[in-house]
Amino acid sequence: MSRWEELTGGVSGEDYAARFAALAGSGKDMHGEAQLCAALVPAGARVLDAGCGTGRVMIRLAELGYDCVGVDLDASMLAVARRQAPELPWIQADLATFDPAALDVAAGFDLVVAAGNIFPLLAAGTEAAVISRLAAVLRPGGLMVAGFGLDEAHLPVSPAITLPEYDAYCAAAGLTSVDRFATWDTHPYEGGGYAISVHRAQGG
């Protein structure tokens, strides 16, 4: 069982969506992740939203002209995503065993985005497998961008993965570090409890 399932019981989709709707209603910019993705790859690029949740990031990317696929294990989150954007491809699958071919999804993504504390909320011990699976779906030279908390102030669970561990898993999967930010609007990372990491696949 993933840490997310332990935390929510897999029934939190509506509550999660309501929380972000309230933030958007308060005037908070809810599209920082999509804006960074748009700065990394041009419109029309293929994007995999890994751990897409209720679809907030992917729906915005689709509006900006990206060719998107969303994958999540939580049926309650996907139900919200499908209701909000039924025309987009939402796939229920475990990232640790994600096999695009078995799901009739073409590999060769230009970008994989994992926002929303995906890695700290995985099932313990599956982090390397998930990174390997995601790296495998990238085209040569494709990018993976992941943002997650590193301390209890930025996580709903105890910290589970450090940046050196994440970088090591990425290196083992053939990914090279490109950049690291403290925020989705690209403030440089100089330490702290939240980081966005950009890695590149070999080739390209």
Side-chain angles (χ1 to χ4, degrees):
M1 180 180 290
S2 72
R3 298 182 186 93
W4 173 255
E5 289 173 293
E6 293 172 356
L7 183 69
T8 67
V11 294
S12 62
E14 296 293 342
D15 290 343
Y16 190 88
R19 180 161 61 91
F20 276 95
L23 287 171
S26 72
K28 183 175 174 60
D29 178 13
M30 303 307 301
H31 298 305
E33 300 99 328
Q35 288 166 1
L36 177 54
C37 291
L40 293 173
V41 292
R46 295 189 69 227
V47 178
L48 177 69
D49 189 346
C52 61
T54 58
R56 177 177 56 86
V57 175
M58 180 167 136
I59 291 169
R60 179 57 177 162
L61 285 171
E63 291 171 350
L64 294 173
Y66 291 86
D67 180 8
C68 301
V69 175
V71 178
D72 204 286
L73 188 58
D74 188 324
S76 74
M77 302 284 270
L78 288 173
V80 175
R82 289 174 177 137
R83 186 175 71 242
Q84 293 180 334
E87 73 283 3
L88 296 178
W90 308 103
I91 296 171
Q92 185 174 9
D94 187 339
L95 292 175
T97 56
F98 179 53
D99 179 1
L103 299 164
D104 198 27
V105 174
F109 285 92
D110 299 294
L111 177 73
V112 170
V113 57
N117 286 321
I118 301 305
F119 289 103
L121 292 170
L122 294 171
T126 66
E127 296 87 355
V130 169
I131 290 169
S132 177
R133 292 279 179 170
L134 296 179
V137 307
L138 286 169
R139 65 163 177 78
L143 297 171
M144 182 161 79
V145 56
F148 53 87
L150 303 164
D151 59 21
E152 292 189 356
H154 294 84
L155 288 169
V157 295
S158 297
I161 183 170
T162 66
L163 288 178
E165 288 170 340
Y166 179 75
D167 286 341
Y169 296 146
C170 285
L175 301 175
T176 302
S177 179
V178 174
D179 220 332
R180 179 158 284 144
F181 307 109
T183 63
W184 288 96
D185 53 3
T186 68
H187 289 182
Y189 182 75
E190 299 173 345
Y194 189 86
I196 296 102
S197 304
V198 183
H199 286 74
R200 186 184 303 277
Q202 295 175 351

